[in-house]
Amino acid sequence: MQSDDRPRGPQVAAVLAVPVACVLLLPAAAWLDLVAPDSGPGVDVAAGPGWPWVVNGSVLGVLAAVILLRDRRQRFGWLLALSGIFWALDGFAQSYIHAGLTERDPWPAMTFALWFLNRFGAYLTAVTAALLLVFPTGRFLPGRWTPASWAAVVLLVISGLAVVVAPAEGPQVVDDLPPGVDQDPTSLMFLAGHGEQVVSTGVALGVGCFFFALLTVVVRYRRSVGLERDRMRWLLWSVVVIVAVLALGVVFPLRGADYLGAFTATVLPPVAMTVAIVRPAVVPIQDLLGRTVVLAAVVAVLVAADAVVLGLITLVLDDALTNAQVAAVVLAVAVLLYGPLRQRLSAAVRRRMLGERGNRYDAVAGLASTLESTDDSGEQLAAVARAVASAFGISFVSVEVERTHGDRLVTTHGRAPEEVRTLPITYRDATIGRLVLPARGLRSRLSGRDEELLGDLVRQAATAARASQLAEEVQRSRERLVGAREEERRRIRRDLHDGFGPALSGIVFQLEAARMTLADEPDRASDQIEAVSRQVQDVVADVRRLVHDLRPPALDDRGLVGALRQQAESLALPVTIEAADDLAGRLPAAVEVAAYRIVGEAFTNIARHARAGDVQLRLDLGDELVIEVVDDGIGIAPGRVAGVGLSSLRERAAELGGSTTITSGPGGGTVVRALLPVRSPA
């Protein structure tokens, strides 16, 4: 589906008009340069063919079409189209002068062509500065930079106007122009005698505004994040390439090096800008920028090494080397130095720019080794923070992990910047913490491979955090177990001390009193013995209650299935029990008690709330004991908060490492399903 900003119908023709015009001017300029005379004023004034500059304009026009066909409202695209037609017309004017400015009978409109080339061409700097001012958003920098940018644009117009109206003086004067050709059609004659100063002032003003445009690029780069930062890096990459090409042109002044340098400086930044706007992720710009810096550094070192070696050899031999010898020396130096030098420089540049993320295995293996050597959760998270900071070369990393009892464990490496971004730390699809990283900076931008490495490190953090959580849960479970055991012992001691002790002591006293009165008052002794009998029965009932609380006696008397049948008989509902006959003796005591309690609690809930007419109980023993209690009652309303009874069902299963699920169908009825692991007692 096309965006609304794409041109349609007649809009496409309007968008393509400038690029087509630029391209059509190229063969015309090439033909003019081809038919130009070998000498004459045109050759002197043009100082070379104009078609190479039309090539610049054609390329810029095509780039503008690429942008505008994607978004006709992109102002940068229209400025780029203006720059393209400007370069194409400037080059065509040069070719026109080259061929048509003769000593006699110059071609028509030669005055305009000469004016456009020598005067109006001053605005090329203004157009280039405008491109820098609006890249990549098509708008000026916001805030106070917007009025300053508008002021720079006005000053750029004034600087070009100064060149247009200044009279030609000194070296600017073109001698031997044929009659009818005016070099100064727009000059203001009242400035006569000051033409050079006016032009110098205009040029200085234009250069100052151009540097202001470069300053806005730097500010925009520092403010940019994410995708916009990648777009600015494309422009930075083009600058690195231009510097390298110009440096090579100085070292190796080959034929056509001037045109190559000018073409690179004129066309490469718009090419990089176009890629940045249209497809900034076509290649990882961090890698491309790093490789370009490495290649430029390698070439610079090789050139310097060649110069040193050739100088030393010439000094020793005290004679100039032949071309073949020079080529042999250059080749030998390149062969010996290129491979090792490129490898070392590449590692150094990548480490400087991007940290240690290139050594993925070392980063992951080092973190794993560190985590294995310590059990302290705080030290483990600190190791994760250090590993991420080292791998990505960033100055700040914070690792935050949720703990089981509600608080949060936080470890920080470095000082937090003004802007950060947060990434979740997950373990088996559950978020257990977060990773906080800087939001800005070259090293903060992650490629696909970087995200994979970060994922590996975060998984280490998640594993360490989960291990820490499990250790805490185990410790808290131990504390709860010890606490529950001691509470149970305290309760039993209290029952024995406060209940059975006084009761038995009272029985002893009453029996002794009955013995003493038996001979003289037999009726009274009989009453005392009868009271003692009732008291003993109460003590026996208390003992049975205590024993039942420790372990239901029915489990030992009847087994699990028999005990459950006994429970079912007290339910006052028809209960169907399906169970294997060989459960007896195959279940650990803890599993039997848990199963008995879970079924009992389920029966109690059915009796109180279900309004059921039928209940089914199924027991199945495999690797675990499966318990299902199914009723045909009214079910559980959706969204109802679990009460004490339902929570108790889950807790009893969880104590043994099992689970309990409670579900209700749309037509009513409830299914309680418990899974209890069966482990042989140690």
Side-chain angles (χ1 to χ4, degrees):
M1 180 178 177
Q2 285 189 334
S3 170
D4 292 338
D5 292 334
R6 293 180 182 271
R8 296 180 178 85
Q11 295 174 345
V12 175
V15 166
L16 295 179
V18 171
V20 170
C22 294
V23 173
L24 291 179
L25 286 174
L26 179 57
W31 179 81
L32 290 175
D33 290 322
L34 185 63
V35 301
D38 295 332
S39 61
V43 176
D44 296 334
V45 173
W51 68 265
W53 314 113
V54 183
V55 171
N56 293 355
S58 299
V59 174
L60 297 182
V62 171
L63 295 175
V66 171
I67 295 175
L68 295 175
L69 287 175
R70 182 174 178 266
D71 182 3
R72 69 180 189 277
R73 299 181 182 179
Q74 173 58 264
R75 297 175 185 173
F76 178 84
W78 290 110
L79 280 175
L80 191 58
L82 176 61
S83 178
I85 194 64
F86 210 140
W87 275 102
L89 290 175
D90 189 78
F92 182 80
Q94 184 170 337
S95 298
Y96 191 81
I97 294 171
H98 188 198
L101 184 59
T102 57
E103 295 179 356
R104 295 181 179 181
D105 300 326
W107 290 3
M110 189 57 64
T111 295
F112 175 78
L114 192 62
W115 171 83
F116 191 92
L117 178 65
N118 291 340
R119 299 305 182 95
F120 198 73
Y123 280 112
L124 282 173
T125 302
V127 176
T128 304
L131 288 173
L132 296 176
L133 286 171
V134 301
F135 175 77
T137 61
R139 297 181 297 274
F140 294 138
L141 272 174
R144 60 184 180 180
W145 290 94
T146 297
S149 298
W150 278 114
V153 171
V154 173
L155 292 177
L156 285 169
V157 174
I158 295 175
S159 69
L161 187 61
V163 177
V164 170
V165 302
E169 296 176 354
Q172 301 172 0
V173 176
V174 179
D175 298 325
D176 301 327
L177 287 177
V181 178
D182 185 5
Q183 182 182 1
D184 295 331
T186 57
S187 297
L188 300 178
M189 300 316 298
F190 68 85
L191 296 174
H194 305 283
E196 292 186 60
Q197 293 84 349
V198 173
V199 171
S200 298
T201 302
V203 171
L205 196 60
V207 171
C209 293
F210 185 81
F211 277 102
F212 173 80
L214 292 178
L215 177 62
T216 64
V217 171
V218 174
V219 174
R220 196 187 293 269
Y221 181 87
R222 293 179 61 85
R223 290 183 179 182
S224 62
V225 294
L227 182 60
E228 185 173 342
R229 173 61 63 88
D230 278 351
R231 286 172 169 158
M232 300 303 298
R233 287 175 186 152
W234 276 102
L235 181 58
L236 176 61
W237 169 81
S238 68
V239 172
V240 173
V241 175
I242 290 172
V243 171
V245 171
L246 294 179
L248 286 176
V250 173
V251 177
F252 301 104
L254 302 176
R255 184 178 180 182
D258 293 340
Y259 279 123
L260 177 61
F263 178 81
T264 304
T266 303
V267 173
L268 189 59
V271 169
M273 293 175 178
T274 301
V275 174
I277 292 174
V278 177
R279 290 192 63 185
V282 63
V283 295
I285 184 58
Q286 302 101 311
D287 293 342
L288 180 61
L289 186 58
R291 293 177 187 275
T292 304
V293 171
V294 169
L295 184 59
V298 168
V299 171
V301 173
L302 289 178
V303 170
D306 287 333
V308 171
V309 172
L310 289 173
L312 291 176
I313 293 177
T314 302
L315 182 64
V316 171
L317 297 179
D318 194 22
D319 192 12
L321 298 176
T322 65
N323 291 337
Q325 291 172 332
V326 171
V329 171
V330 171
L331 181 61
V333 172
V335 170
L336 293 176
L337 294 182
Y338 178 77
L341 185 63
R342 180 182 178 277
Q343 185 176 5
R344 291 178 179 274
L345 282 176
S346 178
V349 170
R350 286 188 61 84
R351 184 165 52 251
R352 176 65 179 171
M353 295 178 62
L354 304 174
E356 300 289 346
R357 66 188 72 185
N359 301 323
R360 179 173 178 176
Y361 174 80
D362 293 343
V364 176
L367 177 58
S369 176
T370 303
L371 294 178
E372 289 177 358
S373 63
T374 179
D375 294 329
D376 183 79
S377 57
E379 294 181 3
Q380 288 180 335
L381 294 184
V384 172
R386 290 194 300 270
V388 173
S390 174
F392 294 95
I394 51 182
S395 59
F396 170 76
V397 177
S398 178
V399 183
E400 304 177 5
V401 174
E402 304 290 342
R403 308 187 76 171
T404 55
H405 46 285
D407 62 349
R408 177 178 295 176
L409 180 62
V410 180
T411 183
T412 300
H413 175 86
R415 184 176 180 181
E418 295 182 0
E419 297 184 20
V420 296
R421 58 174 174 164
T422 302
L423 302 175
I425 299 177
T426 59
Y427 184 84
R428 294 183 178 178
D429 299 329
T431 300
I432 61 174
R434 64 177 189 161
L435 187 70
V436 184
L437 303 175
R440 291 185 174 183
L442 174 65
R443 298 172 178 177
S444 301
R445 186 65 175 168
L446 305 180
S447 65
R449 288 179 56 82
D450 297 339
E451 292 178 354
E452 292 178 1
L453 173 58
L454 183 60
D456 292 339
L457 296 177
V458 168
R459 276 190 289 274
Q460 297 278 356
T463 302
R466 184 55 180 163
S468 174
Q469 289 181 344
L470 292 177
E472 292 180 6
E473 292 176 1
V474 169
Q475 181 60 32
R476 291 175 64 85
S477 297
R478 289 175 177 174
E479 294 174 357
R480 288 195 300 267
L481 181 61
V482 171
R485 183 187 65 190
E486 294 304 320
E487 288 295 330
E488 186 69 11
R489 287 180 175 180
R490 178 186 298 177
R491 185 182 66 81
I492 295 174
R493 177 184 178 278
R494 184 173 58 248
D495 289 344
L496 293 176
H497 181 272
D498 298 341
F500 296 152
L504 293 177
S505 297
I507 290 173
V508 170
F509 287 134
Q510 292 184 46
L511 288 176
E512 184 63 22
R515 185 184 65 79
M516 295 176 63
T517 59
L518 181 61
D520 300 331
E521 302 179 50
D523 293 338
R524 182 180 175 185
S526 176
D527 293 339
Q528 290 177 336
I529 292 174
E530 184 177 355
V532 169
S533 176
R534 290 194 299 269
Q535 191 170 359
V536 168
Q537 291 176 358
D538 292 339
V539 171
V540 170
D542 288 340
V543 170
R544 288 177 176 174
R545 177 185 56 78
L546 180 60
V547 170
H548 187 274
D549 290 341
L550 295 176
R551 175 178 169 85
L555 291 175
D556 296 324
D557 298 340
R558 303 187 178 192
L560 176 60
V561 177
L564 295 178
R565 293 186 186 278
Q566 186 182 45
Q567 280 190 329
E569 292 173 357
S570 63
L571 187 58
L573 285 174
V575 179
T576 302
I577 298 179
E578 300 178 9
D581 297 331
D582 57 348
L583 290 180
R586 297 180 56 189
L587 297 176
V591 175
E592 286 186 330
V593 173
Y596 182 84
R597 302 295 189 195
I598 289 173
V599 173
E601 188 65 41
F603 283 170
T604 300
N605 288 331
I606 291 172
R608 291 178 178 176
H609 311 292
R611 303 177 190 173
D614 181 69
V615 180
Q616 295 182 357
L617 170 62
R618 288 189 291 270
L619 302 177
D620 185 22
L621 180 61
D623 294 335
E624 54 191 359
L625 178 63
V626 181
I627 305 170
E628 281 190 355
V629 181
V630 183
D631 67 70
D632 60 353
I634 61 175
I636 301 176
R640 177 185 173 185
V641 179
V644 176
L646 299 181
S647 300
S648 175
L649 293 175
R650 296 188 177 96
E651 291 175 357
R652 291 189 183 278
E655 289 174 354
L656 299 179
S659 62
T660 301
T661 58
I662 304 170
T663 58
S664 292
T670 303
V671 178
V672 176
R673 180 181 174 85
L675 304 178
L676 303 178
V678 178
R679 301 183 179 92
S680 300

